[in-house]
Amino acid sequence: MSAALPQNPSRRSVLKGIGMAALAAGPLSACAFGSSDTPATGGATGEKSTTNPFGVVANAPLEVVIFKGGLGDAYATEVHEPLYKKAFPQAEIKHVPTQQIAQTLQPRFAGGNVPDMIANSGSDMMDNGALQGEGQLLDLTALYDAPAIGGSGSVRDSLLPGSVEAGFIAGKPYMMKYIYTVYGLWYDSALFAKNSWAPPTTFAEFDTLLGKIKAAGIAPYAYAGKNAAYYQYWMIAVTAAQIGGNQVLIDMDNLKEGVWTSDPVRQAAEAWASIGKKYLDPSFEGLTHTEVQTSQNQGKVGFYPSGSWLENEQKEQTPAGFQYALAPTPSVGSSDKLPYGAVRAAAGESYIVPSKAKNSAGGLEYLRVMLSKEGARGFTEKTGIITVVKGAADGLKLSPGTQSSNEALKKAGDNIITYNLFEDWYKEFETDLRSKTNALMFGRSSAEQFCKDVQAKADAIKADSSITKQSRTS
């Protein structure tokens, strides 16, 4: 089929979400993506049993693509892949590490030669919602209904509450969310103790403390505008949820009319724009996340917004004596619906199995290995990050950052702010939100204009019939 043939509207939604860098590679052929009536599984299957519930062919090759970012890829090469190989010693495993998921896989989806399992993450992640809408993702219900490896009951029974639902698209689990992440403001507790600085509980205290940090010759607050502006819009969204309740984030995900121009979001944008105006060095807009994070390790940055993968991502750059710690987002005012100490926490990091994979049964089995206690415990040992598998990390000595995030999670109790799923559902919107966040934080847009512009984009996504709409209730 010719690459010059026009794209139909539903395929356009995939092309929007596959990543701007990937689109630069050129147009896809008209047969690049299948229709929604794609077969449920790909490749040959063998005899099914309780130990081989998906019927993996013992000598079938398995290809695994891993996003090599904050989590690295040793958890795959030294834990999960060896466990899979132990079960299927005749299987050849091809390991593909990359930080450019969309760029790497776009031509492969175009050519119909997809891998068997993908860790779809990072700034160049693919649009899971668009892929699902095109029939490109395997429904993982069978995974969760399968027997848990090394335990009793199903895989579903072995997971923390909400883990399966975190991967829902169109009411079914098309993504396996693996790590349990806590988000907030990260700092060096040793540096803070040396200077008698304490994490702030309100934005007024935040402002005062940032002034003291600035006076000490340290950049008070920083995020990487070049490739991680989403770290900052997370903070704006969390503050909005603190002010107006978690329903604000649900409304964002559901593209509810007027949510981005509502009082909670406007107040959150105003609070963070003030921080940006007073304390954010303009040079950070041109830096990557690793550059800013390394500056923090060098004692040049006070607070940095991120998730609990940060400590592991920076372990090679972290000097002795640096002690990662997490602070919850400060409260804006006494009328906030959620108290100080509320944190955003959820199952995160998407792992997917393409429906047209040559060995989709192997892809499912690989995920089952990941969700075994042995696989999950090994992951935590390699990354320092807790998974969604109940009790898998019991008895492990945790790093300072992981210990801090776990303590914050315990203190939060029921005051948990749930994940923004529009990142998985509407990649075009998410990409646009990054640029608008930079404009707000680096002084090119007012809070009012930011809210107006983001709402306009959300409305445009909602009105675009080529984009499959998703929703959640909690």
Side-chain angles (χ1 to χ4, degrees):
M1 297 184 182
S2 171
L5 291 176
Q7 299 156 358
N8 64 46
S10 62
R11 284 186 61 228
R12 182 164 59 89
S13 70
V14 175
L15 296 177
K16 287 178 181 177
I18 204 74
M20 295 305 295
L23 291 180
L28 299 177
S29 71
C31 58
F33 291 92
S35 65
S36 58
D37 52 5
T38 300
T41 59
T45 57
E47 184 177 347
K48 297 181 180 180
S49 66
T50 55
T51 57
N52 186 10
F54 314 118
V56 177
V57 176
N59 62 352
L62 181 78
E63 183 177 6
V64 174
V65 176
I66 298 292
F67 170 69
K68 191 176 181 179
L71 299 173
D73 67 342
Y75 72 88
T77 58
E78 299 177 19
V79 180
H80 300 146
E81 290 170 15
L83 286 174
Y84 184 95
K85 188 78 172 175
K86 182 179 179 181
F88 301 98
Q90 300 176 58
E92 178 184 347
I93 299 178
K94 182 179 180 181
H95 175 85
V96 181
T98 180
Q99 289 195 3
Q100 303 297 328
I101 292 293
Q103 285 191 49
T104 300
L105 296 180
Q106 182 259 353
R108 298 193 55 185
F109 272 97
N113 177 32
V114 292
D116 303 307
M117 198 291 298
I118 303 166
N120 187 26
S121 188
S123 60
D124 191 43
M125 66 181 285
M126 296 179 292
D127 186 333
N128 288 314
L131 288 172
Q132 183 277 333
E134 290 298 319
Q136 293 294 324
L137 299 186
L138 197 66
D139 179 353
L140 303 180
T141 299
L143 166 67
Y144 296 114
D145 290 342
I149 296 175
S152 60
S154 68
V155 170
R156 187 189 307 272
D157 296 335
S158 69
L159 307 181
L160 292 168
S163 301
V164 177
E165 291 77 9
F168 272 22
I169 302 176
K172 294 182 179 180
Y174 286 93
M175 302 173 290
M176 189 271 276
K177 298 285 188 173
Y178 192 52
I179 69 174
Y180 206 73
T181 303
V182 185
Y183 300 81
L185 296 169
W186 291 86
Y187 64 99
D188 176 7
S189 63
L191 174 67
F192 273 49
K194 177 182 176 182
N195 290 279
S196 299
W197 296 333
T201 61
T202 67
F203 259 83
E205 292 178 4
F206 193 29
D207 190 352
T208 299
L209 177 57
L210 292 179
K212 292 179 179 178
I213 297 174
K214 184 176 182 179
I218 299 171
Y221 180 81
Y223 77 93
K226 184 174 182 178
N227 73 336
Y230 52 100
Y231 286 18
Q232 181 55 44
Y233 75 59
W234 288 343
M235 302 307 297
I236 297 170
V238 167
T239 297
Q242 287 178 300
I243 297 169
N246 196 66
Q247 185 63 42
V248 173
L249 269 63
I250 296 173
D251 290 344
M252 287 178 178
D253 289 342
N254 292 342
L255 302 176
K256 184 176 180 180
E257 182 179 355
V259 61
W260 286 95
T261 53
S262 65
D263 284 342
V265 180
R266 177 185 53 78
Q267 290 178 46
E270 288 173 348
W272 281 106
S274 176
I275 297 300
K277 181 178 181 180
K278 296 176 69 174
Y279 302 112
L280 195 57
D281 188 323
S283 67
F284 289 124
E285 187 169 11
L287 299 182
T288 65
H289 67 296
T290 52
E291 290 172 326
V292 179
Q293 289 164 191
T294 300
S295 290
Q296 185 180 44
N297 295 145
Q298 296 168 345
K300 299 176 182 178
V301 170
F303 285 106
Y304 178 76
S306 190
S308 48
W309 63 79
L310 174 63
E311 184 178 41
N312 182 72
E313 184 171 28
Q314 289 300 113
K315 64 183 178 182
E316 298 300 326
Q317 286 74 39
T318 304
F322 189 103
Q323 298 285 307
Y324 271 111
L326 177 140
T329 310
S331 297
V332 173
S334 58
S335 61
D336 289 359
K337 286 193 175 181
L338 294 177
Y340 171 74
V343 293
R344 178 188 176 210
E349 295 293 309
S350 299
Y351 295 80
I352 57 177
V353 176
S355 60
K356 294 184 178 181
K358 295 182 179 68
N359 187 11
S360 61
L364 286 172
E365 182 63 21
Y366 188 88
L367 296 186
R368 194 169 77 108
V369 166
M370 290 180 68
L371 292 173
S372 68
K373 277 200 173 183
E374 186 177 1
R377 187 179 183 85
F379 178 90
T380 300
E381 289 175 328
K382 292 296 180 184
T383 67
I385 305 298
I386 304 299
T387 73
V388 298
V389 180
K390 296 176 185 174
D394 289 353
L396 290 179
K397 180 176 173 58
L398 301 177
S399 63
T402 302
Q403 186 66 38
S404 176
S405 60
N406 283 349
E407 289 174 359
L409 189 61
K410 291 178 182 177
K411 290 179 181 178
D414 294 333
N415 296 307
I416 301 298
I417 297 169
T418 57
Y419 196 74
N420 299 61
L421 287 171
F422 63 71
E423 294 177 318
D424 288 311
W425 292 345
Y426 309 115
K427 190 68 174 73
E428 180 185 354
F429 174 73
E430 190 276 337
T431 301
D432 186 75
L433 181 54
R434 296 188 201 187
S435 64
K436 288 179 170 56
T437 297
N438 279 341
L440 173 72
M441 294 301 295
F442 291 100
R444 297 188 300 276
S445 175
S446 66
E448 182 178 0
Q449 190 63 48
F450 167 81
C451 293
K452 181 180 178 181
D453 290 345
V454 177
Q455 185 61 58
K457 186 63 178 180
D459 291 342
I461 295 295
K462 187 175 183 177
D464 190 336
S465 60
S466 73
I467 300 175
T468 302
K469 305 307 183 298
Q470 311 293 339
S471 66
R472 71 178 177 112
T473 57
S474 62

